[in-house]
PDB file of all heavy atoms in Angstrom:
ATOM      1  N   TRP A 190     136.196 -61.006  71.841  1.00 98.00           N
ATOM      2  CA  TRP A 190     136.182 -62.076  70.842  1.00 98.00           C
ATOM      3  C   TRP A 190     137.620 -62.360  70.410  1.00 98.00           C
ATOM      4  O   TRP A 190     137.986 -62.158  69.253  1.00 98.00           O
ATOM      5  CB  TRP A 190     135.348 -61.664  69.627  1.00 98.00           C
ATOM      6  CG  TRP A 190     133.950 -61.235  69.927  1.00 98.00           C
ATOM      7  CD1 TRP A 190     133.415 -59.988  69.801  1.00 98.00           C
ATOM      8  CD2 TRP A 190     132.881 -62.064  70.399  1.00 98.00           C
ATOM      9  NE1 TRP A 190     132.091 -59.982  70.157  1.00 98.00           N
ATOM     10  CE2 TRP A 190     131.731 -61.246  70.534  1.00 98.00           C
ATOM     11  CE3 TRP A 190     132.774 -63.430  70.722  1.00 98.00           C
ATOM     12  CZ2 TRP A 190     130.505 -61.737  70.975  1.00 98.00           C
ATOM     13  CZ3 TRP A 190     131.552 -63.912  71.156  1.00 98.00           C
ATOM     14  CH2 TRP A 190     130.434 -63.090  71.278  1.00 98.00           C
ATOM     15  N   PRO A 191     138.485 -62.800  71.312  1.00 98.00           N
ATOM     16  CA  PRO A 191     139.890 -63.018  70.957  1.00 98.00           C
ATOM     17  C   PRO A 191     140.036 -64.072  69.863  1.00 98.00           C
ATOM     18  O   PRO A 191     139.216 -64.991  69.734  1.00 98.00           O
ATOM     19  CB  PRO A 191     140.521 -63.475  72.269  1.00 98.00           C
ATOM     20  CG  PRO A 191     139.377 -63.979  73.099  1.00 98.00           C
ATOM     21  CD  PRO A 191     138.197 -63.164  72.705  1.00 98.00           C
ATOM     22  N   LEU A 192     141.090 -63.936  69.074  1.00 98.00           N
ATOM     23  CA  LEU A 192     141.286 -64.807  67.917  1.00 98.00           C
ATOM     24  C   LEU A 192     141.339 -66.272  68.318  1.00 98.00           C
ATOM     25  O   LEU A 192     140.748 -67.126  67.636  1.00 98.00           O
ATOM     26  CB  LEU A 192     142.569 -64.413  67.187  1.00 98.00           C
ATOM     27  CG  LEU A 192     142.858 -65.195  65.905  1.00 98.00           C
ATOM     28  CD1 LEU A 192     141.802 -64.905  64.842  1.00 98.00           C
ATOM     29  CD2 LEU A 192     144.251 -64.863  65.380  1.00 98.00           C
ATOM     30  N   ALA A 193     142.037 -66.586  69.393  1.00 97.00           N
ATOM     31  CA  ALA A 193     142.154 -67.990  69.800  1.00 97.00           C
ATOM     32  C   ALA A 193     140.786 -68.596  70.094  1.00 97.00           C
ATOM     33  O   ALA A 193     140.497 -69.734  69.708  1.00 97.00           O
ATOM     34  CB  ALA A 193     143.057 -68.095  71.031  1.00 97.00           C
ATOM     35  N   GLU A 194     139.932 -67.835  70.755  1.00 98.00           N
ATOM     36  CA  GLU A 194     138.586 -68.336  71.047  1.00 98.00           C
ATOM     37  C   GLU A 194     137.752 -68.437  69.778  1.00 98.00           C
ATOM     38  O   GLU A 194     137.016 -69.414  69.566  1.00 98.00           O
ATOM     39  CB  GLU A 194     137.885 -67.409  72.032  1.00 98.00           C
ATOM     40  CG  GLU A 194     136.440 -67.784  72.306  1.00 98.00           C
ATOM     41  CD  GLU A 194     135.691 -66.719  73.083  1.00 98.00           C
ATOM     42  OE1 GLU A 194     136.312 -66.080  73.956  1.00 98.00           O
ATOM     43  OE2 GLU A 194     134.488 -66.516  72.807  1.00 98.00           O
ATOM     44  N   MET A 195     137.830 -67.433  68.911  1.00 98.00           N
ATOM     45  CA  MET A 195     137.008 -67.428  67.713  1.00 98.00           C
ATOM     46  C   MET A 195     137.405 -68.530  66.744  1.00 98.00           C
ATOM     47  O   MET A 195     136.571 -69.042  65.992  1.00 98.00           O
ATOM     48  CB  MET A 195     137.082 -66.068  67.032  1.00 98.00           C
ATOM     49  CG  MET A 195     136.403 -64.950  67.807  1.00 98.00           C
ATOM     50  SD  MET A 195     134.684 -65.319  68.265  1.00 98.00           S
ATOM     51  CE  MET A 195     133.919 -65.481  66.650  1.00 98.00           C
ATOM     52  N   THR A 196     138.679 -68.911  66.742  1.00 98.00           N
ATOM     53  CA  THR A 196     139.105 -70.024  65.897  1.00 98.00           C
ATOM     54  C   THR A 196     138.321 -71.279  66.240  1.00 98.00           C
ATOM     55  O   THR A 196     137.792 -71.964  65.355  1.00 98.00           O
ATOM     56  CB  THR A 196     140.611 -70.269  66.070  1.00 98.00           C
ATOM     57  OG1 THR A 196     141.332 -69.099  65.682  1.00 98.00           O
ATOM     58  CG2 THR A 196     141.069 -71.443  65.229  1.00 98.00           C
ATOM     59  N   GLY A 197     138.216 -71.589  67.530  1.00 98.00           N
ATOM     60  CA  GLY A 197     137.454 -72.754  67.954  1.00 98.00           C
ATOM     61  C   GLY A 197     135.962 -72.563  67.792  1.00 98.00           C
ATOM     62  O   GLY A 197     135.240 -73.496  67.417  1.00 98.00           O
ATOM     63  N   PHE A 233     143.199 -69.564  60.011  1.00 98.00           N
ATOM     64  CA  PHE A 233     143.227 -68.934  61.330  1.00 98.00           C
ATOM     65  C   PHE A 233     144.605 -69.095  61.985  1.00 98.00           C
ATOM     66  O   PHE A 233     145.105 -68.164  62.632  1.00 98.00           O
ATOM     67  CB  PHE A 233     142.145 -69.530  62.234  1.00 98.00           C
ATOM     68  CG  PHE A 233     140.817 -68.834  62.153  1.00 98.00           C
ATOM     69  CD1 PHE A 233     139.691 -69.490  61.670  1.00 98.00           C
ATOM     70  CD2 PHE A 233     140.682 -67.519  62.574  1.00 98.00           C
ATOM     71  CE1 PHE A 233     138.460 -68.851  61.608  1.00 98.00           C
ATOM     72  CE2 PHE A 233     139.459 -66.865  62.518  1.00 98.00           C
ATOM     73  CZ  PHE A 233     138.341 -67.534  62.029  1.00 98.00           C
ATOM     74  N   LEU A 236     146.904 -66.630  60.458  1.00 97.00           N
ATOM     75  CA  LEU A 236     146.642 -65.283  60.968  1.00 97.00           C
ATOM     76  C   LEU A 236     147.243 -65.120  62.355  1.00 97.00           C
ATOM     77  O   LEU A 236     147.843 -64.086  62.670  1.00 97.00           O
ATOM     78  CB  LEU A 236     145.131 -65.047  60.995  1.00 97.00           C
ATOM     79  CG  LEU A 236     144.665 -63.635  61.352  1.00 97.00           C
ATOM     80  CD1 LEU A 236     145.270 -62.602  60.419  1.00 97.00           C
ATOM     81  CD2 LEU A 236     143.142 -63.562  61.296  1.00 97.00           C
ATOM     82  N   ALA A 237     147.103 -66.128  63.195  1.00 97.00           N
ATOM     83  CA  ALA A 237     147.686 -66.054  64.535  1.00 97.00           C
ATOM     84  C   ALA A 237     149.200 -65.926  64.481  1.00 97.00           C
ATOM     85  O   ALA A 237     149.810 -65.221  65.306  1.00 97.00           O
ATOM     86  CB  ALA A 237     147.280 -67.288  65.341  1.00 97.00           C
ATOM     87  N   ASP A 243     145.097 -58.950  69.973  1.00 98.00           N
ATOM     88  CA  ASP A 243     143.684 -58.591  69.950  1.00 98.00           C
ATOM     89  C   ASP A 243     143.544 -57.162  70.456  1.00 98.00           C
ATOM     90  O   ASP A 243     144.182 -56.767  71.438  1.00 98.00           O
ATOM     91  CB  ASP A 243     142.886 -59.543  70.844  1.00 98.00           C
ATOM     92  CG  ASP A 243     142.899 -60.967  70.306  1.00 98.00           C
ATOM     93  OD1 ASP A 243     142.599 -61.154  69.120  1.00 98.00           O
ATOM     94  OD2 ASP A 243     143.217 -61.891  71.088  1.00 98.00           O
ATOM     95  N   ALA A 274     139.323 -57.998  69.911  1.00 98.00           N
ATOM     96  CA  ALA A 274     139.138 -58.900  68.775  1.00 98.00           C
ATOM     97  C   ALA A 274     140.353 -58.721  67.873  1.00 98.00           C
ATOM     98  O   ALA A 274     141.079 -57.727  67.981  1.00 98.00           O
ATOM     99  CB  ALA A 274     137.855 -58.590  68.013  1.00 98.00           C
ATOM    100  N   HIS A 275     140.584 -59.664  66.984  1.00 98.00           N
ATOM    101  CA  HIS A 275     141.689 -59.477  66.057  1.00 98.00           C
ATOM    102  C   HIS A 275     141.372 -58.296  65.149  1.00 98.00           C
ATOM    103  O   HIS A 275     140.258 -58.193  64.611  1.00 98.00           O
ATOM    104  CB  HIS A 275     141.926 -60.727  65.224  1.00 98.00           C
ATOM    105  CG  HIS A 275     143.228 -60.707  64.507  1.00 98.00           C
ATOM    106  ND1 HIS A 275     143.420 -59.994  63.334  1.00 98.00           N
ATOM    107  CD2 HIS A 275     144.430 -61.276  64.798  1.00 98.00           C
ATOM    108  CE1 HIS A 275     144.669 -60.137  62.933  1.00 98.00           C
ATOM    109  NE2 HIS A 275     145.312 -60.908  63.801  1.00 98.00           N
ATOM    110  N   MET A 278     139.473 -58.539  61.808  1.00 98.00           N
ATOM    111  CA  MET A 278     138.046 -58.853  61.740  1.00 98.00           C
ATOM    112  C   MET A 278     137.249 -57.597  61.378  1.00 98.00           C
ATOM    113  O   MET A 278     136.236 -57.680  60.696  1.00 98.00           O
ATOM    114  CB  MET A 278     137.564 -59.448  63.052  1.00 98.00           C
ATOM    115  CG  MET A 278     138.252 -60.759  63.442  1.00 98.00           C
ATOM    116  SD  MET A 278     138.112 -62.107  62.220  1.00 98.00           S
ATOM    117  CE  MET A 278     139.676 -62.012  61.342  1.00 98.00           C
TER     118      MET A 278
END
Side-chain angles (χ1 to χ4, degrees):
W190 305 112
L192 183 65
E194 175 190 324
M195 291 307 297
T196 299
F233 271 116
L236 187 56
D243 294 309
H275 194 281
M278 299 302 98

